[in-house]
């Protein structure tokens, strides 16, 4: 093996000339060494996986790969959420079976495909209120704080049962959860956990309620989960429901507006198409720091064998721009022949629980925006926008849009 590059040397910020695609260096890795050895901060050698088929091999096999940071060999360097807090120890995204199945089953009911459409009227009302705020601000307006981050925040708080009076606090805590704190201060995940623990203590338990915190509290009282497991689950759903959807909407919208003809075609349709939503999700793949796994026994990935204890860090964004699966991946092409082959929601048993809710929010959010504001355009070139968070959730800080008022 050649001397592996340090994990933190892998370029994360795409170049300003193509801010929505993976950095060119990632394309080179995928072509030349799709399972690349990388040196972690603690000296461990893990493997960075960029090819679509290899990412699926790692994420699709929950018998031979573990998602738990407690398993020896799990790559911990720069792990979102760290490794010591409540979230990391109990979150469903970080546990293996049989616990994963038990914990996921307990929360999944309102996120099933047949349940999610019941939120259509609520999401439409939320989007309309946010649009009113954008209109009131006047052209040009930054739609990140007023619209793209606001819709997911209002929606997930309603779905979870976070009282309206605490929503702004929930949004602030969710968006800053991963920001490192000075020593001695409460970790962001633990702070969000305590905030939710307090809400749970005051909410009524109701096993038949569609409100997440109410039915989780009923499960807690029935002895089906511990309070820490409940809190960690609530932290994940609240946080996951915020930033990923918000940034998919902001990045996707910005990408579409870089092509005025594409924008006009999408805006002219009676409703924002499901295909365009899916292409936004494929293109942006906002989770950039994983998912990560560790081999529980000898495994084969992309034709090579690796011993038990080998760590893998997958890149969903790189996989989604793999030209072997998506022809001309840098083109934004709604309706491309991919089924749902993109991996933005991950693959296998940890596949995103909120994906149907996210799709509905994106559809209604984009439709309301594109139909509500005529002749929408970027107020500055995409190359001048500022992007953040190459290691965690990738996103855009401000998105100033102009329209014909
Ligand atoms: C476009 C928006 C979204 C994207 C791109 C996204 C992406 C992902 C990804 C990649 C994972 C797997 C992470 C891993 O294995 O490490 C995941 C898991 C998860 N997501 Fe999402 N997500 C989105 C929206 C949401 C929403 C709205 C919710 C809230 C309901 C949500 C809740 C969850 C939960 C609970 C898991 C853990 C599932 C498990 O481990 O079984 N996500 N998501």
């Amino acid at each position: 093996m050649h001397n592996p590059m340090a994990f933190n040397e892998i370029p994360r910020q795409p170049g300003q000339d193509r801010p929505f695609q993976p950095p060119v260096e990632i394309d080179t890795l995928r072509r030349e060494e799709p399972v690349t050895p990388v040196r972690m901060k603690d000296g461990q050698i893990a493997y960075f996986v960029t090819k679509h088929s290899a990412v699926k091999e790692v994420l699709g096999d929950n018998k031979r790969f573990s998602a738990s940071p407690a398993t020896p060999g799990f790559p911990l360097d720069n792990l979102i959420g760290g490794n010591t807090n409540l979230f990391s120890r109990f979150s469903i995204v970080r546990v293996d079976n049989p616990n994963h199945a038990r914990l996921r089953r307990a929360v999944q009911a309102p996120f099933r495909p047949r349940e999610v459409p019941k939120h259509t009227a609520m999401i439409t009302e939320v989007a309309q209120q946010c649009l009113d705020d954008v209109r009131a601000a006047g052209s040009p307006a930054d739609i990140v704080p007023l619209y793209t981050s606001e819709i997911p925040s209002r929606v997930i708080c309603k779905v979870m049962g976070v009282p309206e009076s605490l929503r702004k606090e929930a949004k602030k805590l969710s968006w800053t959860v991963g920001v490192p704190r000075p020593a001695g201060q409460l970790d962001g995940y633990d702070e969000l956990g305590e905030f939710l623990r307090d809400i749970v203590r005051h909410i009524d338990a109701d096993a038949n309620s569609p409100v997440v915190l109410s039915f989780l509290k009923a499960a807690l009282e029935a002895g089906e989960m511990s309070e820490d497991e409940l809190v960690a689950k609530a932290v994940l759903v609240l946080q996951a429901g915020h930033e990923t959807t918000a940034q998919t909407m902001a990045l996707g919208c910005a990408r579409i507006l870089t092509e005025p003809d594409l924008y006009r075609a999408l805006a002219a349709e009676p409703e924002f198409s499901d295909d365009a939503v899916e292409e936004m999700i494929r293109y942006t793949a906002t989770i950039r720091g994983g998912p990560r796994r560790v081999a529980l026994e000898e495994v084969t990935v992309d034709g090579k064998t690796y011993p038990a204890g080998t760590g893998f860090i997958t890149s969903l964004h790189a996989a989604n721009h793999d030209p072997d699966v998506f022809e001309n991946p840098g083109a934004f092409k709604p309706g491309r022949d991919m089924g749902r082959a993109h991996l933005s929601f991950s693959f296998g048993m940890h596949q995103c629980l909120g994906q149907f809710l996210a799709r509905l929010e994106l559809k209604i959010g984009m439709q309301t925006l594109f139909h509500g504001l005529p002749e929408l355009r970027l107020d500055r070139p995409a190359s001048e926008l500022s992007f953040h968070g190459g290691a965690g959730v990738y996103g855009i800080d401000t998105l100033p849009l102009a329209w014909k008022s």
Side-chain angles (χ1 to χ4, degrees):
M1 189 199 299
H2 57 79
N3 189 20
M5 73 170 105
F7 178 58
N8 60 12
E9 279 168 14
I10 292 178
R12 307 194 187 263
Q13 299 284 355
Q16 288 298 61
D17 54 332
R18 40 175 259 170
F20 304 102
Q21 291 166 252
V24 276
E25 293 87 342
I26 298 273
D27 284 344
T28 309
L29 285 181
R30 190 197 309 101
R31 217 172 31 246
E32 294 178 356
E33 197 174 23
V35 185
T36 313
V38 285
R39 197 169 6 89
M40 312 302 279
K41 255 197 274 184
D42 58 6
Q44 180 197 355
I45 302 299
Y47 289 83
F48 183 62
V49 190
T50 45
K51 186 173 157 184
H52 188 275
S53 56
V55 170
K56 278 177 79 174
E57 281 180 84
V58 172
L59 299 179
D61 184 347
N62 61 282
K63 294 213 170 57
R64 273 174 295 191
F65 292 86
S66 161
S68 165
T71 308
F74 191 93
L76 297 171
D77 186 356
N78 251 319
L79 179 67
I80 307 171
N83 184 35
T84 51
N85 53 26
L86 193 75
F87 170 81
S88 203
R89 280 179 288 133
F90 296 104
S91 170
I92 52 174
V93 80
R94 300 270 161 85
V95 297
D96 299 327
N97 270 334
N99 271 342
H100 176 265
R102 173 178 64 88
L103 294 171
R104 183 159 168 138
R105 210 179 304 118
V107 72
Q108 71 189 3
F111 301 107
R112 288 211 173 96
R114 68 168 184 276
E115 294 300 317
V116 164
K118 293 180 183 162
H119 293 306
T120 303
M122 179 269 284
I123 299 173
T124 306
E125 191 186 336
V126 163
Q128 200 55 52
Q129 288 164 353
C130 295
L131 183 74
D132 291 346
D133 292 342
V134 175
R135 282 206 186 106
S139 170
D142 176 9
I143 66 160
V144 169
L146 295 173
Y147 197 82
T148 53
S149 75
E150 198 57 13
I151 294 173
S153 169
R154 292 190 198 188
V155 168
I156 198 65
C157 285
K158 282 185 198 288
V159 172
M160 290 201 69
V162 172
E164 182 54 31
S165 58
L166 296 176
R167 194 181 59 78
K168 288 212 162 78
E169 181 71 3
K171 183 178 179 187
K172 193 184 98 206
L173 290 173
S174 300
W175 277 72
T176 53
V177 85
V179 178
R181 306 268 174 100
Q185 260 190 32
L186 197 60
D187 164 275
Y189 281 87
D190 284 340
E191 189 178 5
L192 182 56
E194 292 318 303
F195 170 82
L196 287 164
R197 196 188 295 275
D198 199 47
I199 296 177
V200 171
R201 288 193 174 147
H202 291 96
I203 207 165
D204 290 335
D206 179 356
N208 298 314
S209 169
V211 174
V212 173
L213 294 180
S214 292
F215 71 73
L216 286 182
K217 184 165 180 179
L220 169 71
E221 291 182 355
E224 290 161 19
M225 70 181 73
S226 70
E227 189 176 274
D228 281 346
E229 285 174 335
L230 186 165
V231 168
K233 202 190 316 267
V235 166
L236 175 65
V237 176
L238 188 72
Q239 189 225 352
H242 265 99
E243 208 178 340
T244 46
T245 315
Q247 291 298 0
T248 305
M249 201 182 307
L251 288 167
C253 178
R255 172 63 185 83
I256 290 168
L257 290 173
T258 59
E259 277 183 58
D261 286 348
L262 171 67
Y263 156 69
R264 276 190 288 275
L266 292 174
E269 288 179 24
E271 62 175 48
F272 195 82
S273 75
D274 294 336
D275 285 342
V277 168
E278 218 52 37
E279 182 67 342
M280 284 170 73
I281 298 168
R282 174 194 75 87
Y283 208 103
T284 56
T286 50
I287 292 199
R288 301 280 169 97
R292 301 174 179 209
R293 298 290 185 267
V294 55
L296 290 166
E297 55 184 77
E298 186 176 278
V299 292
T300 304
V301 180
D302 200 39
K304 285 194 190 146
T305 51
Y306 300 86
T310 305
F312 295 89
I313 302 171
T314 61
S315 170
L316 305 177
H317 195 219
N320 281 357
H321 286 257
D322 183 340
D324 285 348
V325 181
F326 306 99
E327 195 197 349
N328 190 6
F332 189 100
K333 281 203 288 192
R336 58 166 68 239
D337 182 19
M338 63 170 175
R340 290 203 164 155
H342 72 68
L343 301 177
S344 293
F345 291 126
S346 188
F347 185 69
M349 98 182 174
H350 288 280
Q351 198 176 128
C352 180
L353 179 81
Q355 57 183 288
F356 301 101
L357 182 65
R359 287 189 174 105
L360 188 61
E361 289 182 54
L362 289 166
K363 184 179 175 82
I364 295 174
M366 292 302 291
Q367 184 162 312
T368 307
L369 188 69
F370 277 17
H371 287 182
L373 301 177
E375 297 182 29
L376 211 49
R377 61 187 188 282
L378 292 172
D379 191 48
R380 70 177 76 135
S383 58
E384 289 173 21
L385 296 170
S386 120
F387 299 88
H388 68 257
V393 176
Y394 187 69
I396 201 165
D397 297 319
T398 55
L399 182 54
L401 298 188
W403 62 91
K404 190 175 166 203
S405 35

